Amino acid sequence: MENLTQIAHNVYFTLKDKSPEAQQKMVEACHKYLSGHPGCVFFAAGVLTEELDRPVNDRAFQVALHVVFDSLESQNAYQVAERHVQFIEENKESWESVRVFDSTVAS
């Protein structure tokens, strides 16, 4: 377990407005405010893959955010970073719910 040093931060947004336009707006906001933070080694944001509808697929979201940080310290700094806080303030009214899954990982 000593090789597990990175932090995977996965966020699933269920939107009040489920239209393709609202989904695209949220993805664009993720890219604008949440990419390029110090310590980020991977960033991706996108929408639910409609074609993947197996019994094991959780489909209770429209937009997914995936960020991997090089350390817990980097992830903690991201949580209070001005751009992250601004993202929340500007977008929280559009969210029906948000689910966050954080884990310690290795590549």
Side-chain angles (χ1 to χ4, degrees), residues 12-19 22-24 26-27 46-50 59-64 94 96-97 99:
Y12 298 88
F13 299 94
T14 303
L15 305 179
K16 293 176 182 175
D17 176 357
K18 296 168 179 36
S19 70
Q23 293 177 43
Q24 183 61 34
M26 179 60 64
V27 170
V47 299
L48 173 75
T49 304
E50 292 295 335
R59 301 176 55 78
F61 69 97
Q62 286 76 47
V63 174
S94 68
E96 184 176 302
S97 69
R99 294 179 297 146

Side-chain angles (χ1 to χ4, degrees), residues 5-61:
T5 59
Q6 297 177 326
I7 303 298
H9 178 62
N10 298 292
V11 184
Y12 298 88
F13 299 94
T14 303
L15 305 179
K16 293 176 182 175
D17 176 357
K18 296 168 179 36
S19 70
E21 295 80 15
Q23 293 177 43
Q24 183 61 34
K25 182 179 177 185
M26 179 60 64
V27 170
E28 290 171 2
C30 288
H31 281 273
K32 178 179 178 180
Y33 293 107
L34 305 180
S35 64
H37 284 266
C40 175
V41 297
F42 177 82
F43 173 89
V47 299
L48 173 75
T49 304
E50 292 295 335
E51 297 82 8
L52 296 177
D53 191 11
R54 301 174 307 220
V56 296
N57 287 108
D58 184 334
R59 301 176 55 78
F61 69 97

